[in-house]
């Protein structure tokens, strides 16, 4: 995907000191503005290689609607949370007469870039995306925005791009989960998180840290680990359990990781939650299939998906200005089960 930034109607409007609506009318050859102003705007657009998103314009202005397709990029379809978001996206899109085109990045940056190009070439009317873990460059997202393709992030938002987003209240979810562990008698609470480059990881860590501080407990860096999957949790946890001052609780960034901790603790011969308490984050189907059942933070994935579609369709159909950035937060709730006291 090219690094060249293509201008938007907003850029043209700012450069020429006119409104976005005036630019739109000039580019559509509307008789509502003077021929002189029209030529100035059209010449500027040509010289700066302005490329309109034709399908989005058609959706907004035509009574005869083309096939309405929303592109969706998912890091991992097999992950319960992402599949629940996808369910919410599909349900809301279908209710409004839209279809979805789904692609899986497999947590791979280059694949994500290729998917963005493919979705644009397939003329989707908008894109809903959760970025891959290793994404550090954002030109492929800006590429879509610069061509008038509405873009909405969910879960893993991209701070390097000014776009609408829908997230859960990661901070408060982590704060309440950690507070619950403290209030039930836990003194040394380990945190298993993902890369701090991801906003969700930073927010969940901050919630964990602030809960400790609120309860007059000093955060201990030796209890904070980069671990966000079951395999690593099963590998790392035994080393902590042999420590003389071992953790008496674990708070994990997702249920998959929490279940790896649970397995390791039980395999070590300790009792859950009497010896060690465990709390996850997702409320996946696996959370109620474990023994004991997992205490976790519910993310309400379907609601996240529905909100993302709502924002996108509003932009596509012209009810919300393309340049307006919407930020929606879906509340979490702590679901207390058998892995905590």
């Amino acid at each position: 995907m090219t690094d060249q930034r293509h201008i938007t109607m907003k850029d043209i409007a700012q450069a020429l000191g006119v409104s976005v609506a005036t630019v739109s009318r000039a580019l559509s050859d509307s008789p509502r503005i003077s021929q002189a102003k029209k030529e100035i705007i059209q010449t500027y657009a040509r010289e700066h290689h302005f490329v309109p998103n034709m399908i989005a314009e058609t959706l907004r202005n035509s009574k005869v609607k083309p096939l309405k397709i929303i592109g969706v990029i998912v890091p991992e379809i097999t992950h319960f949370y992402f599949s629940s978001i996808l369910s919410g996206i599909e349900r809301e899109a279908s209710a409004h007469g839209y279809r979805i085109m789904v692609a899986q990045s497999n947590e791979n940056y280059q694949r994500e870039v290729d998917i963005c190009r493919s979705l644009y070439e397939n003329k989707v009317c908008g894109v809903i995306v959760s970025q891959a873990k290793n994404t550090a460059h954002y030109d492929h997202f800006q590429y879509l925005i610069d061509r008038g393709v509405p873009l909405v992030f969910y879960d893993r938002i991209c701070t390097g791009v000014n776009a609408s987003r829908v997230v859960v209240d990661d901070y408060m979810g982590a704060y309440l989960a950690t507070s619950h562990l403290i209030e039930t008698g836990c003194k040394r609470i380990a945190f298993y998180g993902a890369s701090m480059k991801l906003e969700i990881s930073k927010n969940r860590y901050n919630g964990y840290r602030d809960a400790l501080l609120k309860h007059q407990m000093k955060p201990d860096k030796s209890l904070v680990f980069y671990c966000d999957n079951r395999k690593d949790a099963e590998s790392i946890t035994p080393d902590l359990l042999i420590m003389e001052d071992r953790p008496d609780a674990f708070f994990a960034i997702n249920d998959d990781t929490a279940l790896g901790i649970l397995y390791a603790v039980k395999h070590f011969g300790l009792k859950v939650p009497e010896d060690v308490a465990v709390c996850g984050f997702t409320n996946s189907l696996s959370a109620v299939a474990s023994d004991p059942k997992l205490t976790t933070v519910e993310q309400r994935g379907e609601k996240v998906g529905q909100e993302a579609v709502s924002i996108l369709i509003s932009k596509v159909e012209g009810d919300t200005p393309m340049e307006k950035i919407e930020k929606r937060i879906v509340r979490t709730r702590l679901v207390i089960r058998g892995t905590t006291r």
Side-chain angles (χ1 to χ4, degrees):
M1 191 163 288
T2 179
D3 290 336
Q4 182 181 0
R5 183 181 183 276
H6 287 246
I7 64 170
T8 65
M9 284 194 286
K10 183 179 179 182
D11 294 327
I12 298 173
Q14 290 176 341
L16 299 179
V18 298
S19 69
V20 174
T22 297
V23 174
S24 178
R25 292 187 187 112
L27 296 178
S28 61
D29 206 26
S30 170
R32 295 176 61 183
I33 60 174
S34 69
Q35 185 63 31
K37 182 172 288 188
K38 197 184 299 183
E39 288 178 359
I40 291 171
I41 294 171
Q42 290 176 351
T43 299
Y44 187 92
R46 275 196 309 274
E47 290 176 349
H48 291 80
H49 310 293
F50 172 75
V51 181
N53 181 337
M54 298 308 296
I55 192 164
E57 288 297 313
T58 304
L59 281 168
R60 283 192 290 273
N61 302 317
S62 177
K63 292 182 179 179
V64 179
K65 309 268 186 185
L67 189 64
K68 300 185 290 187
I69 300 177
I70 297 171
V72 182
I73 304 178
V74 184
E76 293 179 295
I77 292 177
T78 55
H79 193 293
F80 173 82
Y81 181 53
F82 291 129
S83 65
S84 65
I85 291 174
L86 192 58
S87 178
I89 289 173
E90 197 282 329
R91 183 173 300 170
E92 188 73 6
S94 179
H96 288 82
Y98 287 73
R99 297 182 182 180
I100 62 173
M101 181 184 293
V102 183
Q104 184 174 220
S105 69
N106 290 323
E107 303 287 15
N108 183 278
Y109 163 74
Q110 188 55 53
R111 180 167 171 76
E112 187 178 80
V113 171
D114 294 341
I115 290 169
C116 283
R117 181 189 294 113
S118 177
L119 291 176
Y120 180 75
E121 290 172 352
N122 278 281
K123 297 188 177 350
V124 297
C125 59
V127 175
I128 297 173
V129 57
S130 180
Q131 71 174 56
K133 287 179 184 177
N134 65 348
T135 294
H137 303 286
Y138 315 115
D139 293 342
H140 53 304
F141 296 138
Q142 193 64 51
Y143 178 94
L144 296 173
I145 294 171
D146 290 346
R147 284 157 177 74
V149 181
L151 186 68
V152 178
F153 286 98
Y154 67 91
D155 189 51
R156 299 185 199 153
I157 64 173
C158 175
T159 57
V161 172
N162 196 24
S164 296
R165 70 276 310 266
V166 181
V167 296
V168 301
D169 195 345
D170 294 296
Y171 173 89
M172 186 54 65
Y175 180 90
L176 293 175
T178 307
S179 294
H180 167 67
L181 292 169
I182 296 169
E183 290 161 6
T184 52
C186 300
K187 304 294 184 183
R188 286 181 57 76
I189 305 169
F191 175 81
Y192 281 13
S195 168
M196 288 298 171
K197 292 180 181 179
L198 297 173
E199 285 297 302
I200 61 167
S201 189
K202 286 191 286 188
N203 290 336
R204 291 178 196 179
Y205 171 75
N206 288 338
Y208 157 82
R209 180 202 61 197
D210 288 355
L212 293 176
L213 293 171
K214 178 70 174 180
H215 291 82
Q216 288 76 53
M217 295 173 64
K218 186 178 180 181
D220 185 345
K221 290 185 178 180
S222 70
L223 293 177
V224 177
F225 298 88
Y226 175 65
C227 178
D228 65 353
N229 61 76
R230 178 167 184 152
K231 181 180 178 181
D232 288 346
E234 290 182 8
S235 173
I236 292 171
T237 305
D239 292 335
L240 276 70
L241 298 177
I242 62 174
M243 296 167 55
E244 186 176 341
D245 57 346
R246 62 172 171 78
D248 58 1
F250 291 82
F251 172 53
I253 194 168
N254 56 48
D255 284 357
D256 190 45
T257 303
L259 293 172
I261 296 167
L262 177 61
Y263 173 86
V265 171
K266 291 174 66 178
H267 190 72
F268 197 80
L270 296 173
K271 294 181 179 180
V272 178
E274 292 86 354
D275 299 323
V276 178
V278 182
C279 182
F281 205 116
T282 302
N283 198 25
S284 62
L285 296 176
S286 301
V288 293
S290 64
D291 181 24
K293 294 179 181 179
L294 183 67
T295 292
T296 185
V297 178
E298 184 175 45
Q299 290 182 271
R300 300 174 64 204
E302 286 207 17
K303 178 67 173 174
V304 171
Q306 290 167 356
E307 291 291 331
V309 172
S310 173
I311 293 173
L312 189 73
I313 291 178
S314 182
K315 288 180 179 293
V316 168
E317 298 188 349
D319 297 326
T320 301
M322 292 288 285
E323 61 270 20
K324 182 179 180 181
I325 305 301
E326 291 210 47
K327 300 176 182 179
R328 298 186 189 177
I329 298 175
V330 175
R331 290 184 179 180
T332 56
R333 73 182 183 99
L334 181 64
V335 182
I336 300 173
R337 298 195 181 100
T339 57
T340 56
R341 301 165 193 165

